[in-house]
Amino acid sequence: MTGAPTAGRTPGPAAVLCGLGGWLPPKVVTNEELVARLDTSDEWIRTRTGIRQRHVIEPGMSTGSLAVEAGARALKSAQQDSVGAVVLATTTPDRPCPATAPEVAARLGLAGVPAFDIGAVCAGFVYALATGAGLIATGTADDVLVIGADAYSTLLDPEDRTTGPIFGDGAGAVVLRRGEPDEPGALGGFDLGTDGHLSDLIEVPAGGSRQRGSGVPAGPRDHYFAMQGKQVFRHAVLRMTGSVHKAVGRAGWTVAGIDRLAAHQANSRILDALTDQLELPRERALSNIDRVGNTAAASVPLLLADSVNEGSLRAGHSVVLTSFGGGLAWGSTTLRWPQLDAV
Ligand code: COA
């Protein structure tokens, strides 16, 4: 047998991160506003999740419009006005059909390039990064705009206090370009995995072919997002811990040598448990969850943009990106942070 790539090693040229942008819709919903309509309290939400507020879209906006804003900022940060492909991670597409990415690409002046959606729920951005790196490695594109955008506010049951406080809307994006593996910004190998035996832990039961094909109409709450929080919490810590170890090993790094952990922002207690499991000082974990909540596929790139803007993530830092979500799906990768401006 010839030509089998070594597990975890990216064959061919490296994908180098060279642009970054994030965008949040202007409307903020504070915990106090949720308390007015749900049986909850600011104290419960802050102490159990670490969230103080979240941003939500307003009428006339959608996942696509969030993606366009973040994508434009990433292109500006990369000082580029074109790329060879657009990959959009989302599970709240503008419509069930077609994919949202082609319209996003067209609105960014990129009509003509390959553009498609990736669905891996909250792990989606790392999957989209791996896909973008693959497009570069195969010579399909020299540079790729990778966007994570979600509007979970459109999926939430207005009467469910267990999901309402957690999610927010937003988008983040990066530009990847062809480069050398030892350059700052070059992505290391990826660790990606799923466990579909546990797909019911996070779901929107209705709207897909299973429900439509059954001929049985959806129940009144079946179009809403549902999750089994406690089990999801446990798996999030377990899977991200294992995935960080694998990604770090593939990079030839040690966990102790991680300067910044950019983990999916699901719950501040998940972040604390993850850093404890990794035996990393908690201050090495980047965090913006208090201001944005869980923004699903947007979480990791928004976190990167916020952290660069506030100065907690700087050129030269060894960074691990890790994410986890419905599927179950998880993924991680590594990079030495490059010199760049977020916008
Ligand atoms: N306000 C007040 N009380 C609430 C509440 C809210 N918003 N939500 C749940 N509760 C109550 C429960 O009803 C329960 O009450 P009981 O003890 O009387 O039965 C109590 O708080 C504890 O509930 P529990 O579900 O055990 O809380 P928890 O500590 O596990 O926190 C989550 C709940 C959802 C915050 C937590 O499980 C979590 O963050 N899970 C992961 C979610 C996630 O990341 N999802 C996306 C994956 S990417």
Side-chain angles (χ1 to χ4, degrees):
M1 196 169 87
T2 58
T6 309
R9 293 193 56 196
T10 312
V16 178
L17 192 154
C18 63
L20 171 68
W23 198 73
L24 291 161
K27 183 176 167 55
V28 169
V29 176
T30 61
N31 289 350
E32 286 73 15
E33 287 168 81
L34 289 181
V35 170
R37 60 180 172 83
L38 287 171
D39 179 17
T40 188
S41 66
D42 172 53
E43 205 248 336
W44 193 96
I45 300 170
R46 272 190 295 100
T47 55
R48 305 308 291 168
T49 71
I51 300 167
R52 283 189 295 112
Q53 63 171 47
R54 68 289 294 144
H55 291 246
V56 298
I57 60 168
E58 294 175 272
M61 304 172 80
S62 68
T63 294
S65 50
L66 301 176
V68 168
E69 294 286 351
R73 284 163 173 76
L75 288 169
K76 187 176 170 204
S77 151
Q79 300 175 9
Q80 290 183 217
D81 54 18
S82 68
V83 285
V86 176
V87 183
L88 170 64
T90 188
T91 37
T92 54
D94 282 3
R95 294 172 277 183
C97 176
T100 305
E103 195 180 336
V104 169
R107 288 167 65 185
L108 288 166
L110 301 169
V113 304
F116 53 95
D117 294 1
I118 293 269
V121 197
C122 296
F125 181 74
V126 174
Y127 274 74
L129 272 185
T131 306
L135 291 172
I136 289 171
T138 56
T140 310
D142 287 333
D143 38 29
V144 182
L145 177 62
V146 179
I147 308 173
D150 265 313
Y152 266 64
S153 65
T154 62
L155 288 181
L156 297 179
D157 181 343
E159 292 175 18
D160 183 359
R161 70 174 182 172
T162 68
T163 54
I166 292 177
F167 291 92
D169 303 338
V174 302
V175 177
L176 300 178
R177 65 163 172 80
R178 172 185 298 264
E180 300 302 321
D182 52 3
E183 279 187 69
L187 299 179
F190 285 83
D191 173 67
L192 303 174
T194 67
D195 184 355
H197 292 300
L198 298 171
S199 61
D200 291 349
L201 292 187
I202 292 178
E203 65 167 339
V204 178
S209 60
R210 187 187 291 182
Q211 177 260 321
R212 288 177 183 154
S214 72
V216 180
R221 315 208 89 76
D222 286 351
H223 287 283
Y224 292 129
F225 176 91
M227 73 175 173
Q228 297 177 38
K230 251 196 190 336
Q231 290 209 58
V232 170
F233 189 113
R234 199 165 54 79
H235 284 285
V237 176
L238 188 72
R239 294 306 188 176
M240 284 195 282
T241 302
S243 189
V244 167
H245 274 289
K246 285 186 185 154
V248 161
R250 284 172 186 175
W253 298 359
T254 61
V255 170
I258 298 171
D259 294 318
R260 294 293 181 267
L261 182 68
H264 173 53
Q265 305 284 293
N267 182 319
S268 59
R269 290 186 298 129
I270 291 179
L271 293 178
D272 289 347
L274 174 61
T275 46
D276 291 353
Q277 287 292 313
L278 292 169
E279 297 180 10
L280 265 185
R282 286 185 179 177
E283 54 275 14
R284 297 212 198 147
L286 301 170
S287 183
N288 64 353
I289 192 168
D290 61 325
R291 285 160 281 150
V292 302
N294 181 345
T295 55
S299 178
V300 168
L302 254 184
L303 174 68
L304 295 174
D306 278 355
S307 303
V308 168
N309 286 337
E310 74 182 20
S312 50
L313 176 57
R314 297 183 295 279
H317 278 147
S318 51
V319 186
V320 177
L321 315 184
T322 187
S323 60
F324 170 88
L328 300 177
W330 57 88
S332 305
T333 191
T334 53
L335 76 160
R336 188 84 52 197
W337 195 254
Q339 185 65 54
L340 53 84
D341 300 325
V343 290

